[in-house]
Amino acid sequence: MSRAVGVSEAEIHRGGQAFLPLGGDLSALWPGSPCAEGLLSVVALSGPLRPGTSIVECRAQWRPARHGRLRPDVRVLTLLDHDAAGDPARVAGLRAQTWARVGAGPVVVVGSAGQLEAALACRPPGRGGGTSHLRAVYRLDAATAAAAADGAKAVVAHTPVLGYLAGRVRECGQLHVDWYRCYFRDGGDGVLVTVLRGSGPVRVDVHVPGAALTACPVHHGGVLLAR
């Protein structure tokens, strides 16, 4: 049997330049930001999203984002990084606006370890509920997420081109894939991912290195393991 070969995210970035003006950004090919796709469904894998929940997604750039299956009872907000490019006063103002829009219900903050630390440090008193209503979700690349040993942490797997791919389910500790949005198959030294439901260009057999696909021993759904 021949080995499955896909396209890397680096090749997508290089190829995308053919459709853009000189010096253009690949993100212009998407109506929304691709890196936010699948946020809701994957975060829901890492823990329940009760009515009135606010999801605060830490991002380096402020762009419109499409999050997949939307819920009218869950609010999704963007928190710009404190060191994002641009006027520092404007960045600080946008960050303050985000926290001002957070509701009184549970709050889920999604980002890298550094982003989470900075986000929680700038949270105004009384905003985002108490500690018992605040949940931090660590955003990692697929290989790192699959290899993460600390089962107590909420973890999601993410790539810049494909968006959110999988979330760790607390009951089994496994990194379950978002099978509704993406199709996963073995790709030799990684997995090949095809986006079934998303905005922007079609992405077929995108190679995600360092992860392997198997079945959850508890729930029998597809999960990612470290290769």
Side-chain angles (χ1 to χ4, degrees), residues 4-185:
V5 177
V7 60
S8 69
E9 294 203 5
E11 289 172 309
I12 290 178
H13 277 280
R14 287 195 297 270
Q17 301 305 314
F19 301 96
L20 301 172
L22 186 64
D25 181 359
L26 183 66
S27 63
L29 291 175
W30 277 267
S33 172
C35 62
E37 288 183 17
L39 173 66
L40 270 178
S41 52
V42 165
V43 169
L45 288 170
S46 69
L49 295 178
R50 298 182 175 87
T53 296
S54 296
I55 300 177
V56 178
E57 186 194 24
C58 301
R59 297 166 61 83
Q61 292 176 295
W62 190 282
R63 291 199 301 265
R66 296 187 176 186
H67 301 95
R69 290 178 287 178
L70 296 177
R71 283 177 47 179
D73 58 343
V74 174
R75 180 178 300 178
V76 180
L77 305 169
T78 296
L79 183 67
L80 199 60
D81 288 352
H82 71 284
D83 57 352
D87 176 50
R90 180 177 179 272
V91 171
L94 289 172
R95 286 167 65 82
Q97 287 178 26
T98 295
W99 283 117
R101 294 176 60 199
V102 169
V107 178
V108 179
V109 185
V110 183
S112 66
Q115 287 175 321
L116 292 175
E117 182 179 359
L120 299 181
C122 79
R123 178 170 60 110
R127 281 292 172 183
T131 304
S132 61
H133 298 285
L134 187 67
R135 176 156 54 99
V137 176
Y138 291 81
R139 182 175 58 212
L140 307 172
D141 64 78
T144 305
D150 187 356
K153 286 184 177 180
V155 168
V156 292
H158 171 274
T159 84
V161 167
L162 297 169
Y164 292 86
L165 299 177
R168 176 183 284 157
V169 175
R170 181 177 300 179
E171 290 80 6
C172 62
Q174 301 291 321
L175 196 65
H176 279 255
V177 301
D178 184 2
W179 58 266
Y180 177 84
R181 191 179 73 89
C182 297
Y183 171 71
F184 297 77
R185 67 190 184 101

